[in-house]
Amino acid sequence: MSLAKSESMKTNKKYISLIILLAAAVACTVQDGLLPPDEIGVIEENVVLESAPGVYGLKVLSDGVFTARLAGEDSWLRFEGTSLRSISGSGDLVLNLEFDYNRGLSRTAVLTLERGRRSIGVNIRQEGILSDKIELASHSVSVPEDGQECSVKILSLYSDDDLVITVDYDGTGGWVQDVRKVNNFVKFTVDPNPSELSRTAYVTVTSKDDDSISDKMQICQMGRGSAYTEMSLADLKTKLTAAGTLVVEEDWVIEGVVSSDDSEGNGGENLSVSASLQDFSRSARTVYIQNAEATHGLRLLFDSAQDNILRRYDKAEILLKGTSIKRLGGTAEDPLRFEITGLKASNVISSASGSAYDLTPKEKYMDELTDSDVYTYVTLKDCEIPVRKGPFVPIDLRHRQLIHSYPMVIRDIKGSTSHLMTNLGASWERDGEGIPQGSGSISGVIVHESCDNFEWDGSEAMRRQQEGILQDYITGIGNIGKYQIRPIAKEEIRVSDDFEDGFSGLLMELRYYNKSNAELVCNVSGQTMYSTYPAVPDPLYDPQVKGRLYVVNSDGSKGNIVIWRDWTHLGPYENGEITDPARGNGVYDYYGAPAEFAPYSLVYNTALIMNSSAWYASAGWGPQKYWCASFSTEGLTSANFPISVQIGAESGLGRTVGAPRYWNLEYSVDGQKWTTAASYTVPDFPVISSRKPWQCPGPKYVSINLPEDTSLLDRNIVYVRMRPSSTQAGTTASYDGGTIVEGRETAMNYFAVRYNK
């Protein structure tokens, strides 16, 4: 989120600085027969208020008069200085909402903003001082050696008689006294510590009737004569001047704000151990912490999920004694970053609950990211996910042991690209909703993560093999870029669901079967496919059709394109045909063999599943055979740059390998003279009997900008081709140590050309 405290308000009032989510302006005029769009926007469509009374400043941006309405008759939330439920405003302004103290459970309200034909809703929730759960405001409390009386706020509906409070100890007990609940606090007294060693106790508050409802806090008391050395995150980083590991033997303490949790399964990077084994426990053991200014961040790795007692937005103090600090990266392609390992619950000497307000807002475009942003929370501005197909993790889940997270390509309005990292097992991995198709912002922790399934460093693999590491255990060498973003919750992917509400448009797109106009995607005369967007009534004869995809053989003739299976359906479905994604994803069998086209009902009958089918060609692949697309740029000017090409590709289809590994994307205005725009690689689909770390159990999506070459503009036809750049290919034993094998398939499941509107 993009949150900040207002200097102009009292301490009990919060102000949220807002990124404006406006629909991209469409260049249109009255003579075009179109009306100018009405613009109205805010950043946070989901606002959380504290229980204490205050004023929330909602910044509204509008190109004219708008109406603001509060639903219902609840008087706890109102427009400041008035009792009206509806008011009008004009232009850009801050709309002040006043709210009362909430002494009960959390409560909600809806604010609707209307401007002409546009309407947006802002969901507002105010925390209460009571909870239907048991929640302690701190999970760790630090107490000096001389002891003291302590109190920790508790949020709960339970009366004192309905609660059981217990105390447990690491080692000698009895030094936490008089533990009781008084009003909304748990109070206790800690005896002086006679030892030079620190000690730890745990207070657990449990419902008397349901022991599954509980919360726990840790009490850390310093040893006599000991003293902590407070250290900023910046100072800590200076302790390591070169790549390596430092074992901490001093009582160093760092303080920071926790920006992550694992509540939706995407709290941190899991790791590949080998080609058949993943460590899926790391996400729950990972915490990202940053300083108050958000200029430095660290990754903390606890020994177990149980040791990770931190919650998102906690203000925490961490004792580093006994841990290890790793300095990683520091090169042009590998950002400088720091990780602390060996952490236990006892290293958390204090933690106090906070809120999203405690994360200093940072909003950037992708090309503005620096190493100081790594492991901090950032909002990337004006983003889109340029693939309008499938879920966030579009893979065959039967091969899940090969991949721990999927890097979905993202791009911004300036044409920069990166990846949105989603864990296998994240709540939005494949939830039936698919990918939002417009534009907006994406917030999360900036990370540097690898994906061996997308890329593979052959020279590094060889070096490790010479060190005695078995090939299947060589992992973590697939560099996919310097920076990626890892959202912690799906709501942080604030991208519009409406394609028309985005900053880019489509010149052409191919993505799935179209039942009513099958020719739009399927072969026409066994050679050419027509784009699904924009669709036309008669794709075979309509002169307006410019988007075509075909294969060109080495002799110049058009080659056959075959329809194939695909694993990018949106499932799972509780009510539908796809019930168990682990069993072939409910679409095709392992080899495709005659069942590959059998379940048409899954492809056609449910709208949500109309994401299936890929296309492939097999015989004769090499630098003289290529995919070719043609499209029109009529009406485009330099204001419409960048023009970008989106590709979803894979090779082998699961039966064998040997298709081209290295490819060039080239463009031409006459189909004769070609210019290389970029190079990319296409992964092999896993072979069941011989899975390798560099194989990918699904399509790899790439987004490539064409050069800002004015000769591309305002043309009836432009060509783009995807051509093998060498004869190198993968084998079952090497990433690229073989040559192209005759008859091996290479496939695409998505192709699109975009431009800025």
Side-chain angles (χ1 to χ4, degrees):
M1 294 181 182
S2 175
L3 305 174
K5 294 183 179 178
S6 171
E7 296 179 357
S8 64
M9 296 186 178
K10 297 181 180 179
T11 55
N12 66 335
K13 296 182 180 181
K14 299 288 185 178
Y15 173 83
I16 298 185
S17 78
L18 303 161
I19 304 171
I20 307 305
L21 297 182
L22 292 175
V26 178
C28 60
T29 60
V30 175
Q31 59 262 34
D32 294 327
L34 299 174
L35 295 174
D38 301 309
E39 294 183 352
I40 184 77
V42 296
I43 181 171
E44 297 297 339
E45 296 181 2
N46 297 283
V47 174
V48 179
L49 307 174
E50 295 183 342
S51 58
V55 174
Y56 172 85
L58 178 67
K59 188 175 181 182
V60 179
L61 209 65
S62 173
D63 64 349
V65 177
F66 65 89
T67 301
R69 290 190 178 87
L70 287 168
E73 299 180 356
D74 293 335
S75 61
W76 67 269
L77 181 68
R78 54 197 171 272
F79 301 109
E80 187 178 30
T82 177
S83 60
L84 298 175
R85 307 302 291 168
S86 175
I87 64 172
S88 296
S90 180
D92 303 345
L93 54 79
V94 174
L95 190 63
N96 288 328
L97 301 172
E98 186 176 7
F99 51 95
D100 295 335
Y101 202 119
N102 186 4
R103 301 180 184 277
L105 296 169
S106 64
R107 55 192 178 189
T108 61
V110 176
L111 170 69
T112 302
L113 299 171
E114 297 176 347
R115 162 74 179 128
R117 293 159 297 163
R118 283 193 179 277
S119 175
I120 61 173
V122 180
N123 299 309
I124 302 171
R125 179 170 66 88
Q126 185 185 22
E127 301 285 4
I129 63 172
L130 299 178
S131 171
D132 52 1
K133 300 179 181 179
I134 296 173
E135 184 175 348
L136 293 163
S138 295
H139 278 168
S140 187
V141 177
S142 179
V143 182
E145 60 184 89
D146 293 333
Q148 65 180 34
E149 185 177 60
C150 302
S151 63
V152 174
K153 189 175 182 180
I154 182 172
L155 303 178
S156 176
L157 281 174
Y158 292 91
S159 67
D160 297 0
D161 293 337
D162 293 328
L163 297 175
V164 176
I165 303 177
T166 58
V167 183
D168 300 295
Y169 300 90
D170 280 346
T172 303
W175 46 275
V176 179
Q177 308 286 346
D178 194 21
V179 185
R180 73 265 185 212
K181 179 176 179 291
V182 179
N183 296 324
N184 294 320
F185 293 88
V186 172
K187 296 194 172 187
F188 54 92
T189 301
V190 177
D191 293 342
N193 186 0
S195 170
E196 295 180 356
L197 301 176
S198 61
R199 56 188 183 181
T200 307
Y202 305 93
V203 173
T204 304
V205 183
T206 307
S207 164
K208 184 181 295 184
D209 297 326
D210 185 352
D211 59 11
S212 68
I213 302 175
S214 68
D215 204 3
K216 183 178 183 178
M217 71 175 159
Q218 176 178 266
I219 303 169
C220 301
Q221 187 179 28
M222 296 171 58
R224 186 157 298 280
S226 62
Y228 295 146
T229 301
E230 295 183 3
M231 188 170 295
S232 69
L233 301 193
D235 289 341
L236 181 66
K237 291 179 178 182
T238 64
K239 298 294 181 181
L240 279 78
T241 58
T245 301
L246 171 67
V247 177
V248 180
E249 298 178 352
E250 308 294 330
D251 289 318
W252 295 345
V253 172
I254 59 172
E255 182 179 283
V257 180
V258 174
S259 62
S260 67
D261 63 26
D262 198 46
S263 58
E264 295 189 22
N266 211 51
E269 179 188 20
N270 293 315
L271 286 184
S272 299
V273 178
S274 73
S276 59
L277 183 64
Q278 298 282 352
D279 178 3
F280 286 108
S281 73
R282 283 176 56 97
S283 183
R285 297 191 285 125
T286 298
V287 166
Y288 296 102
I289 190 170
Q290 63 189 54
N291 62 349
E293 299 78 19
T295 54
H296 294 279
L298 297 173
R299 179 167 63 185
L300 310 181
L301 188 62
F302 285 83
D303 285 350
S304 69
Q306 291 71 33
D307 281 305
N308 180 9
I309 61 173
L310 293 172
R311 295 176 295 185
R312 196 173 191 190
Y313 311 127
D314 275 358
K315 298 176 183 178
E317 290 182 300
I318 311 293
L319 175 64
L320 299 185
K321 188 172 185 178
T323 67
S324 296
I325 308 173
K326 295 182 179 180
R327 184 184 193 274
L328 305 168
T331 67
E333 297 298 324
D334 195 359
L336 181 64
R337 60 201 189 278
F338 294 82
E339 177 186 77
I340 300 176
T341 61
L343 287 158
K344 301 182 183 299
S346 57
N347 289 100
V348 183
I349 58 176
S350 72
S351 67
S353 294
S355 70
Y357 298 101
D358 298 307
L359 285 180
T360 299
K362 287 203 295 186
E363 302 166 10
K364 295 193 172 188
Y365 288 106
M366 294 179 193
D367 64 2
E368 297 172 340
L369 293 173
T370 68
D371 288 9
S372 64
D373 295 312
V374 176
Y375 299 157
T376 69
Y377 189 79
V378 175
T379 295
L380 296 179
K381 301 187 291 185
D382 292 331
C383 292
E384 66 182 5
I385 305 172
V387 176
R388 301 200 315 151
K389 177 181 174 67
F392 283 91
V393 180
I395 66 166
D396 181 351
L397 293 177
R398 293 166 299 175
H399 297 287
R400 64 181 300 127
Q401 65 267 49
L402 264 179
I403 186 169
H404 53 74
S405 59
Y406 187 87
M408 179 58 68
V409 65
I410 57 175
R411 62 190 301 272
D412 66 20
I413 196 170
K414 298 168 71 173
S416 299
T417 60
S418 183
H419 292 93
L420 186 159
M421 307 303 292
T422 301
N423 285 348
L424 271 71
S427 62
W428 65 87
E429 160 194 357
R430 185 171 291 186
D431 58 6
E433 295 184 7
I435 293 172
Q437 298 185 3
S439 63
S441 66
I442 300 174
S443 300
V445 178
I446 300 300
V447 296
H448 174 76
E449 298 179 7
S450 62
C451 183
D452 299 332
N453 316 94
F454 274 23
E455 300 294 342
W456 185 259
D457 187 336
S459 60
E460 175 63 15
M462 180 65 70
R463 187 188 67 79
R464 295 193 189 186
Q465 282 184 287
Q466 291 171 349
E467 293 178 351
I469 301 175
L470 296 177
Q471 184 186 69
D472 283 356
Y473 288 83
I474 297 173
T475 60
I477 62 174
N479 191 344
I480 57 172
K482 194 167 187 179
Y483 308 113
Q484 299 85 42
I485 190 166
R486 177 171 283 277
I488 305 304
K490 187 179 182 182
E491 67 180 16
E492 293 165 324
I493 307 170
R494 292 185 289 270
V495 175
S496 172
D497 287 326
D498 186 356
F499 170 67
E500 304 299 335
D501 214 12
F503 61 76
S504 72
L506 282 166
L507 296 176
M508 72 170 293
E509 179 190 58
L510 293 98
R511 59 176 167 154
Y512 52 67
Y513 280 120
N514 184 311
K515 187 178 182 182
S516 60
N517 262 316
E519 295 87 352
L520 287 177
V521 176
C522 298
N523 295 348
V524 176
S525 302
Q527 296 177 336
T528 305
M529 297 188 296
Y530 291 83
S531 62
T532 56
Y533 187 96
V536 293
D538 192 344
L540 297 181
Y541 303 106
D542 194 313
Q544 298 303 310
V545 174
K546 299 295 194 303
R548 296 180 172 89
L549 178 71
Y550 49 90
V551 170
V552 177
N553 292 319
S554 57
D555 62 2
S557 64
K558 289 184 178 180
N560 191 43
I561 301 173
V562 184
I563 302 165
W564 192 253
R565 61 187 182 219
D566 189 10
W567 290 276
T568 61
H569 66 86
L570 297 181
Y573 301 96
E574 294 181 0
N575 65 344
E577 299 103 277
I578 297 178
T579 58
D580 183 1
R583 292 180 54 221
N585 292 339
V587 180
Y588 298 110
D589 72 6
Y590 243 109
Y591 298 100
E596 63 183 290
F597 306 120
Y600 278 160
S601 61
L602 289 175
V603 177
Y604 290 146
N605 291 348
T606 304
L608 286 175
I609 308 179
M610 289 188 68
N611 288 271
S612 295
S613 81
W615 324 289
Y616 80 94
S618 54
W621 279 110
Q624 280 69 51
K625 179 175 179 175
Y626 51 85
W627 296 95
C628 189
S630 61
F631 53 92
S632 169
T633 61
E634 289 177 320
L636 295 192
T637 70
S638 58
N640 300 116
F641 283 134
I643 298 173
S644 63
V645 178
Q646 280 59 236
I647 304 165
E650 64 186 51
S651 290
L653 308 181
R655 295 185 293 193
T656 187
V657 297
R661 170 72 68 232
Y662 298 102
W663 294 72
N664 283 343
L665 179 75
E666 302 168 342
Y667 70 95
S668 174
V669 296
D670 59 9
Q672 302 297 319
K673 182 181 178 181
W674 295 89
T675 301
T676 300
S679 299
Y680 64 99
T681 61
V682 175
D684 291 327
F685 196 85
V687 177
I688 296 171
S689 60
S690 182
R691 294 187 181 99
K692 294 300 177 184
W694 58 79
Q695 296 173 347
C696 186
K700 171 186 172 182
Y701 294 116
V702 297
S703 179
I704 297 171
N705 291 332
L706 297 181
E708 295 193 2
D709 181 347
T710 56
S711 70
L712 292 170
L713 301 172
D714 199 24
R715 287 193 170 269
N716 181 58
I717 190 166
V718 170
Y719 300 92
V720 164
R721 69 180 183 183
M722 289 67 69
R723 184 179 67 86
S725 58
S726 78
T727 59
Q728 287 177 270
T731 70
T732 55
S734 71
Y735 174 68
D736 59 4
T739 56
I740 297 172
V741 177
E742 174 62 25
R744 296 297 184 261
E745 310 93 342
T746 190
M748 288 201 299
N749 80 327
Y750 187 82
F751 182 86
V753 183
R754 288 181 177 252
Y755 66 98
N756 275 15
K757 293 193 287 191

